[in-house]
Amino acid sequence: MVGQAGAASHGGLGAFELARDEFARRWAAFVGPTVPVGQHELRETLAEFTDELHAAMVRDPYPAGAVHQVGRSLVEHGFVSVATLEKSLVFLGEHLPDHFELSGDRSHRLMSLLGGIAAGYGEALRDRTLEQQELAQAAAFRSIRDAESALRASEAKFRAVFRTSAVAIALTGMASELLDFNDALLNMLGYSAEELASLNAQDIVHPGDQPTVATLREALRSGAREHVRAELRLLCKDGDYLDVLIAVALVRDEAGEPAYHVTMIESLDEVRALQSQLVRQSLNDVHTGLANRPQFLGWLESTVGTKGPASLALVAFDIDGFRVVNDAFGHDVGNRLLTVVAGHLRTVFGGVGQLARIGPDEFGVLIRDPADIPAVVALAEEAVDLLAEPVWVGDHGIGVTASVGIVLQPARGGDAAELMRCLDVTLRWAKDDGKAQWALYDRSRDQRDRERLVLAASIAGGLEQGEFRVDYEPVYALAGRSLIAVEARLGWDHPEHGLLDPQSLASLSACTGMAVRLGRWAMEQACRQAGAWYAEFGPRAPVLTMDLTARQCQEPELVAEVRRILREAALPASMLRFELAEQLPALINEDQAEELDILAGHGVRFVLDQVGGGNIPVDKLRRIPLHGLTFQGFPVHGLAEGSNRLDESAAVALLGWARTLGLPLYAAGVGTAYEARRLAELGVTGAQGPLFGAGPLTADEVRRVLGRA
């Protein structure tokens, strides 16, 4: 349903196309300063590359050719800056699997993909250079041929280019005799000019490659090819063979007959060194020089093999409040701070484990066969102490704290992806528990959290499958016991876990951001039902009471949304009453409080839900429109028969003070007739709780109660 809605709002694009275009946009923004094209053209090009790379991550067998072609295409589109390649490899390594939510462990595939892109880029850059050189050289030779009888100056210019070129060049006759060569070829092979001049071209070609040379020469002579390329081995003076790439062109005389060959030669060792450097850069962090996340995952995969250590420890450091440093001092200072952090971690773990930067402000350490848990914890605490030392930027001494996650597990037969998940979970525990501390992985806690998170992630599906429902807890007048209101309670009738209560739902929905969507759905359902009761029973219909959270108050269209729902349900605004938690007035700002005033002006009512004892701060009451107070917990149970006299006197004093506000008072959780009588004596007009029934009523049960009235 979400995917279809997203596609409808973006011209019919599907979920993958939207994800691809967003990924291409982010990629374009990351590399934009290094390429000579506009953002629109760049995004379209990178979107095509994203299709190929996503397919390479999931397709079997692995399409090495397609990945190489992406690297080649970078050069073919003119993205020839090494900075473009470096930034692209860093961006893909850090974001490609997570952005497309690729299931399973893809680190090995990702490393192959990054290496393939670098290799394709190196090959294309080499070909581009050779093609440009070939074109220039061919043009030069054509100029010489056409102007052979003209000016000697033209030949002098050519000889200067020929002699000073950094690319090795040889002119060979049709019988393979060496007609001429430049200094670059002498330097490459180690011969003197006299020594090389005494040799035939075939003398410096490896015997195993001479049939290849003969085939190339015949292809040129016959006119089937204008120029050819091949990888060969050439004999150096010291007896070793050098791997080279040659590009050969045939020059014909004025009559069109073959005259001589022009051969340009490039050492493959240099090309391969460039490719190795590019791959190395793709596996290391630019700012700190540490290994990056893909390389860290590679280490972990090799560690959990059958020949690895018996056990391992993973330690993750997350810099607390790193965004504050970036926002306050800028990214240059933030990068400097990361470098200092990396240095401190090297000091502690340099001789103990393998260190990498695994996130924007996260560092990971892999320790093979750790001594024991206390030893690993001691190292982590030592590192945290070092991080606390301030880094001075001008007059500002910047210090940081770190949350630390520690996982100790058997290594052999383990799963790298699962271990990383455990590390991420443990790090989150450390941050959730207050930051600036370490947490140790606990399997039972993880299992409980996973079950809870699975439930939270399933809310959207449950809503679409119709598993949610709204029940209603009746609120009765203490005088006469007539039904005056119903409090809507959202429930999830889960097929495995049974009915989940509103408190559990509130906690789960907060994990996934579904709270607003669930609240809107519950409001629509409850108002539609309340509108039906109002249409049937008129003034005898109960007022609908619902919780309104601080998060819902932050919605910019709250007023418009509530009015729309009331209008569609044909429910008067005066028949809707929102209950506000006692903390809400302190959590909303002035603009949001004004939104509540606007709703109150339309007739919606607001009741503050006071849980526990203590006077209600008057300054909070002034911020929001109030039409009643609801008490539960201590103020109610303090009035129970036989309760502590101190508790009773405090409850009486609180309710007495509340009466001075001149607002209707309500009570929740009333369990006995004695409590109900005392509450009525103290000015409470309406109540709900176990005294009035076993639990919430369905909509049909509410209708039957109204029908009997």
Side-chain angles (χ1 to χ4, degrees):
M1 296 291 289
V2 174
Q4 294 171 1
S9 64
H10 290 78
L13 291 179
F16 172 76
E17 287 77 7
L18 292 174
R20 177 202 61 196
D21 290 349
E22 174 60 13
F23 188 84
R25 184 193 66 75
R26 293 173 59 197
W27 187 358
F30 193 70
V31 303
T34 69
V35 297
V37 299
Q39 280 290 307
H40 178 72
E41 180 182 349
L42 179 59
R43 285 197 299 271
E44 289 185 347
T45 301
L46 296 184
E48 296 175 6
F49 294 170
T50 301
D51 281 334
E52 295 294 333
L53 297 179
H54 178 269
M57 287 295 292
V58 300
R59 184 181 299 163
D60 289 313
Y62 173 65
V67 174
H68 276 67
Q69 185 56 43
V70 171
R72 296 186 65 87
S73 295
L74 286 171
V75 176
E76 292 166 1
H77 282 81
F79 308 157
V80 295
S81 169
V82 174
T84 304
L85 175 65
E86 179 179 320
K87 282 180 167 289
S88 293
L89 293 176
V90 169
F91 180 83
L92 293 170
E94 292 184 354
H95 300 292
L96 181 60
D98 292 340
H99 183 86
F100 290 99
E101 300 180 352
L102 299 179
S103 60
D105 179 49
R106 300 280 174 172
S107 57
H108 180 73
R109 178 66 63 92
L110 179 61
M111 293 177 70
S112 298
L113 182 142
L114 295 176
I117 294 174
Y121 177 89
E123 293 169 0
L125 191 60
R126 176 197 65 199
D127 293 347
R128 177 189 176 98
T129 302
L130 288 175
E131 286 175 358
Q132 292 174 342
Q133 291 170 341
E134 286 174 9
L135 291 173
Q137 193 66 39
F141 277 108
R142 283 195 301 271
S143 297
I144 290 173
R145 182 193 62 195
D146 295 337
E148 227 173 5
S149 60
L151 299 173
R152 291 177 178 262
S154 298
E155 183 177 357
K157 291 179 182 179
F158 163 71
R159 301 306 301 176
V161 172
F162 178 78
R163 291 299 177 195
T164 59
S165 173
V167 177
I169 305 174
L171 307 183
T172 57
M174 301 310 296
S176 297
E177 67 273 23
L178 279 169
L179 302 177
D180 204 351
F181 43 79
N182 65 358
D183 292 343
L185 183 59
L186 295 175
N187 294 333
M188 178 183 290
L189 300 180
Y191 290 104
S192 67
E194 293 76 11
E195 291 169 336
L196 190 57
S198 67
L199 300 175
N200 187 283
Q202 292 182 345
D203 295 335
I204 60 174
V205 177
H206 190 281
D209 293 333
Q210 291 188 10
T212 301
V213 174
T215 301
L216 297 177
R217 291 168 62 88
E218 177 58 28
L220 291 171
R221 188 199 64 77
S222 66
R225 302 279 297 278
E226 292 185 0
H227 53 81
V228 293
R229 296 188 189 131
E231 292 185 10
L232 300 176
R233 291 163 289 178
L234 297 185
L235 177 65
C236 299
K237 180 180 178 179
D238 60 8
D240 287 339
Y241 283 94
L242 177 67
D243 291 330
V244 298
L245 176 71
I246 66 168
V248 187
L250 175 64
V251 178
R252 299 179 182 271
D253 60 21
E254 292 182 359
E257 295 299 321
Y260 53 87
H261 296 100
V262 180
T263 304
M264 292 187 292
I265 306 159
E266 185 176 9
S267 171
L268 281 176
D269 289 345
E270 296 176 0
V271 174
R272 288 165 181 161
L274 173 61
Q275 292 177 349
S276 298
Q277 181 182 4
L278 293 174
V279 172
R280 189 163 53 251
Q281 289 175 348
S282 72
L283 296 176
N284 287 272
D285 176 53
V286 177
H287 297 297
T288 64
L290 297 176
N292 60 14
R293 188 179 183 92
Q295 188 169 3
F296 187 77
L297 293 174
W299 293 341
L300 186 55
E301 286 180 347
S302 64
T303 303
V304 298
T306 55
K307 296 183 180 180
S311 63
L312 61 83
L314 293 175
V315 186
F317 293 82
D318 187 295
I319 307 305
D320 297 325
F322 182 68
R323 184 175 179 179
V324 174
V325 176
N326 276 336
D327 291 346
F329 298 98
H331 288 278
D332 288 342
V333 173
N335 290 335
R336 176 183 167 189
L337 185 62
L338 289 175
T339 302
V340 172
V341 170
H344 288 328
L345 294 179
R346 282 193 185 99
T347 300
V348 176
F349 294 100
V352 179
Q354 293 173 289
L355 179 64
R357 184 183 177 192
I358 60 175
D361 54 359
E362 292 181 27
F363 297 83
V365 184
L366 169 61
I367 303 174
R368 292 174 169 83
D369 281 327
D372 51 31
I373 293 177
V376 177
V377 170
L379 289 171
E381 291 179 337
E382 180 183 350
V384 169
D385 291 340
L386 280 177
L387 296 181
E389 297 179 2
V391 177
W392 288 93
V393 178
D395 295 332
H396 303 282
I398 304 173
V400 296
T401 61
S403 299
V404 186
I406 303 173
V407 176
L408 277 84
Q409 295 287 315
R412 293 172 190 165
D415 181 84
E418 174 62 16
L419 286 169
M420 286 300 295
R421 189 198 65 80
C422 294
L423 185 63
D424 291 339
V425 165
T426 310
L427 188 58
R428 177 171 54 80
W429 291 344
K431 296 187 79 68
D432 291 347
D433 292 344
K435 301 182 180 181
Q437 59 183 311
W438 57 266
L440 187 65
Y441 177 71
D442 181 341
R443 188 176 301 277
S444 59
R445 179 179 178 180
D446 184 19
Q447 183 62 34
R448 292 193 303 271
D449 283 358
R450 291 188 75 175
E451 291 175 356
R452 181 172 174 270
L453 292 174
V454 166
L455 270 176
S458 304
I459 288 177
L463 192 59
E464 186 171 322
Q465 294 297 320
E467 296 171 1
F468 284 83
R469 73 188 203 194
V470 179
D471 292 326
Y472 304 90
E473 182 174 355
V475 180
Y476 291 95
L478 288 179
R481 300 295 176 91
S482 61
L483 182 63
I484 59 174
V486 289
E487 181 177 357
R489 294 193 175 276
L490 179 64
W492 184 3
D493 199 357
H494 196 279
E496 296 179 11
H497 299 279
L499 184 62
L500 300 179
D501 58 36
Q503 288 75 21
S504 299
L505 272 178
S507 174
L508 292 173
S509 61
C511 297
T512 59
M514 286 289 294
V516 172
R517 182 179 171 187
L518 276 179
R520 184 186 303 116
W521 181 88
M523 192 184 303
E524 290 173 343
Q525 299 297 313
C527 287
R528 186 179 301 117
Q529 183 58 61
W533 293 329
Y534 184 77
E536 182 175 359
F537 297 103
R540 291 195 295 115
V543 171
L544 175 64
T545 299
M546 300 195 69
D547 289 334
L548 185 69
T549 65
R551 177 63 186 86
Q552 288 174 296
C553 291
Q554 295 167 2
E555 286 297 292
E557 299 297 325
L558 175 65
V559 172
E561 192 71 18
V562 172
R563 295 190 65 189
R564 176 191 64 80
I565 292 172
L566 289 172
R567 183 173 60 254
E568 293 176 355
L571 181 68
S574 60
M575 298 297 290
L576 176 61
R577 185 170 69 201
F578 284 123
E579 287 207 0
L580 311 176
E582 59 184 342
Q583 303 89 354
L584 184 140
L587 298 177
I588 61 176
N589 59 35
E590 294 300 328
D591 290 339
Q592 293 156 4
E594 185 177 347
E595 294 278 294
L596 301 186
D597 275 328
I598 295 173
L599 283 175
H602 287 291
V604 177
R605 296 295 179 255
F606 295 93
V607 174
L608 187 66
D609 194 353
Q610 176 73 3
V611 180
N615 288 341
I616 307 167
V618 177
D619 60 330
K620 292 184 180 181
L621 298 182
R622 293 196 183 108
R623 299 194 65 202
I624 57 175
L626 277 185
H627 308 91
L629 294 174
T630 296
F631 293 91
Q632 56 179 304
F634 158 72
V636 174
H637 304 314
L639 299 175
E641 189 173 8
S643 63
N644 182 283
R645 294 185 64 181
L646 183 60
D647 292 342
E648 181 182 7
S649 62
V652 170
L654 176 61
L655 291 171
W657 178 87
R659 285 201 307 273
T660 64
L661 299 174
L663 298 174
L665 304 181
Y666 305 94
V670 179
T672 66
Y674 186 86
E675 290 175 350
R677 182 174 60 80
R678 292 298 311 279
L679 289 166
E681 292 171 352
L682 293 169
V684 176
T685 59
Q688 61 193 98
L691 173 64
F692 305 100
L697 305 176
T698 65
D700 288 339
E701 289 172 335
V702 172
R703 184 176 180 276
R704 285 196 290 270
V705 171
L706 292 171
R708 292 195 299 267

